[in-house]
Amino acid sequence: MLRVQAGDREAYRALLEDVGGELRALLQRRLSGGLEVEDVLQEVLLTLHRARHTYDPRKPFNPWLHAIARNAAIDAFRRTRGRLRWERLAGDDLPVEASSEDAGREPSLARVLARLPNTQRSAIEMVKLQGMSIAEAARRAGIAPGAMRVRVHRGYRALRELLLGKE
Amino acid sequence: MHENDGSHGLPTQDLITRLTRTLRPVRRLWPPSMRLAVFGSLQIVVFVVAGLTLGLRGDLSQKLHSDGFLLELGFIIAVAISSTVMALLAAVPGREPSRWLALGSVLVAVLGLATAFAAAPWLDPMMGHFVATGWPCAARTAVVAAVPWVVLGVTVRRGATLVPGLAGILTGAASFLFATASLRMSCPLDSAAHLVIWHLGPVLVGILASVLIGSLCLSRRPRFRRSGSQ
């Protein structure tokens, strides 16, 4: 970091790539995957760039970096609080295929997904299950990114109602 | 590195390349202790200039022998110093004061001042000229606070606060509390109504204004843009 503050570009690239991997893993644990993680990671890297003069070499590096990452993650969480709740419910905490024991008790994600309209199902599958970014999924579907966001949002809402039995 | 697009419309690897290309040497932020020493020196100068231009209250030497007055002044200055320290720390990621500690100390300051001021007699021989004698105190508080407020704000802005609203509160509290301490040594009126409205009032207004201005101006964080607008 000292070399970065002195303007050493090679050291900076190495640092950003190094912390980028570490932060991605950290953010993936805190947020849902795909676009949001890359969004927050890029915000952290930009903030790190703008705040690099505030790093004090006499202090450890990680608390400084993690404070930036934590704040970016909290901001992202606040922005998408409602959406994240359903992303976790639909994606991270439920198995895609229910076991035979679960059949009949809990609706499996696969069964619930099958009941969504095609456009919403494929949006959820691309963004949530395959981890594509909104832009990538929109390109694949041949629609604007904004429209893809709407599809994903509506898909989550429909999933929520199906999973909670509000059919 | 991962190739996903982010909200900034480019893959993370491209962002790293761009940041690397634009890297310039930076002057490291001074440690909070050094910034505090500089701000403290400025504050002393402002105290002296305010004392010379506004004059000192006629009974100041007598007041300085009063335990109550000394306690009140000491309390105001102590909270102003702690607010300054916390504002300077808030400028550095990872060193922000606890939100509860910061807000709690400002709240204690306001309540403490309100209690101290309200303990004075409410009636005043100058009560008939309440506004005429009061508004100059409010205006002087704002004038005395202005330079330290701008300097402290710029100092915090020079850092990279992640909590701009909180930094704004602390910046406002620090500069307006110092100004109030200065005004207490020049204003001869001690009635509770005058102190609460014309001395405490500007502190509250200053803190509220600082929250708004701090939220808008103190952050250096990138603004989030939705990927849908790429």
Side-chain angles (χ1 to χ4, degrees):
Chain A
M1 198 61 196
L2 273 173
R3 286 164 58 195
V4 170
Q5 288 177 328
D8 183 334
R9 292 181 181 175
E10 284 309 307
Y12 194 36
R13 175 177 285 281
L15 176 83
L16 291 181
E17 289 183 346
D18 194 24
V19 300
E22 183 195 328
L23 287 173
R24 183 174 288 109
L26 177 82
L27 293 171
Q28 272 165 347
R29 286 199 297 275
R30 291 190 174 209
L31 303 167
S32 61
L35 177 76
E36 188 69 24
V37 169
E38 289 307 307
D39 281 346
V40 178
L41 175 60
Q42 291 193 13
E43 282 195 48
V44 174
L45 295 181
L46 279 169
T47 308
L48 183 153
H49 184 76
R50 293 172 191 191
R52 65 192 189 278
H53 64 291
T54 66
Y55 172 68
D56 182 349
R58 293 168 304 177
K59 307 273 179 195
F61 176 69
N62 275 343
W64 180 83
L65 176 68
H66 286 183
I68 294 173
R70 188 174 58 245
N71 267 271
I74 289 170
D75 276 2
F77 181 75
R78 284 179 182 149
R79 274 199 306 268
T80 55
R81 187 179 297 173
R83 184 158 62 88
L84 283 172
R85 206 165 42 231
W86 300 117
E87 282 182 11
R88 287 206 193 93
L89 179 65
D92 296 341
D93 301 335
L94 290 176
V96 172
E97 293 294 339
S99 68
S100 56
E101 280 178 20
D102 291 336
R105 280 191 289 138
E106 295 286 340
S108 77
L109 182 62
R111 260 191 291 141
V112 178
L113 267 177
R115 297 173 63 183
L116 293 181
N118 283 340
T119 51
Q120 292 176 8
R121 185 178 64 247
S122 68
I124 296 279
E125 283 173 349
M126 283 191 286
V127 173
K128 185 61 207 171
L129 301 181
Q130 296 168 25
M132 286 185 198
S133 69
I134 290 283
E136 200 178 349
R139 267 198 303 276
R140 178 84 56 97
I143 57 173
M148 176 55 70
R149 253 188 201 285
V150 171
R151 278 187 190 178
V152 172
H153 175 71
R154 288 182 179 161
Y156 286 139
R157 204 168 51 191
L159 265 181
R160 175 184 63 185
E161 287 170 0
L162 289 169
L163 287 166
L164 296 178
K166 294 178 186 170
E167 299 170 56
Chain B
M1 291 288 288
H2 206 277
E3 289 300 325
N4 263 357
D5 284 2
S7 64
H8 305 280
L10 74 168
T12 303
Q13 191 59 45
D14 288 359
L15 177 68
I16 290 178
T17 303
R18 189 178 290 185
L19 292 178
T20 306
R21 205 183 308 132
T22 57
L23 183 72
R24 300 275 180 276
V26 285
R27 193 161 53 87
R28 201 175 300 137
L29 196 67
W30 288 352
S33 54
M34 195 182 291
R35 286 180 289 146
L36 177 66
V38 172
F39 183 75
S41 309
L42 167 76
Q43 201 61 68
I44 290 169
V45 171
V46 169
F47 253 74
V48 171
V49 172
L52 290 175
T53 52
L54 302 178
L56 298 173
R57 57 192 293 167
D59 60 348
L60 182 62
S61 56
Q62 192 184 331
K63 278 288 198 180
L64 288 175
H65 287 93
S66 151
D67 291 344
F69 187 78
L70 281 179
L71 195 66
E72 180 191 311
L73 264 189
F75 174 74
I76 297 173
I77 291 172
V79 181
I81 291 172
S82 78
S83 298
T84 307
V85 171
M86 286 191 280
L88 294 173
L89 287 175
V92 182
R95 300 195 68 186
E96 303 90 354
S98 141
R99 194 174 297 265
W100 295 113
L101 176 69
L103 293 177
S105 75
V106 173
L107 189 66
V108 165
V110 170
L111 290 178
L113 270 187
T115 308
F117 289 170
W122 278 87
L123 293 177
D124 186 333
M126 302 288 283
M127 208 63 184
H129 307 284
F130 183 69
V131 176
T133 55
W135 77 263
C137 284
R140 284 170 187 157
T141 303
V143 169
V144 173
V147 171
W149 184 74
V150 170
V151 170
L152 189 56
V154 169
T155 308
V156 172
R157 176 82 174 78
R158 160 99 181 97
T161 183
L162 300 174
V163 284
L166 188 66
I169 290 176
L170 293 166
T171 301
S175 37
F176 277 84
L177 285 172
F178 274 125
T180 297
S182 173
L183 260 287
R184 284 294 282 139
M185 292 195 283
S186 70
C187 172
L189 300 179
D190 281 331
S191 83
H194 175 83
L195 292 174
V196 169
I197 302 293
W198 302 113
H199 287 243
L200 182 59
V203 175
L204 294 175
V205 172
I207 291 174
L208 288 176
S210 295
V211 181
L212 296 176
I213 295 170
S215 301
L216 293 172
C217 304
L218 290 180
S219 177
R220 280 190 174 221
R221 298 178 61 185
R223 296 227 180 269
F224 178 78
R225 296 200 327 262
R226 298 176 75 85
S227 60
S229 62
Q230 286 169 42

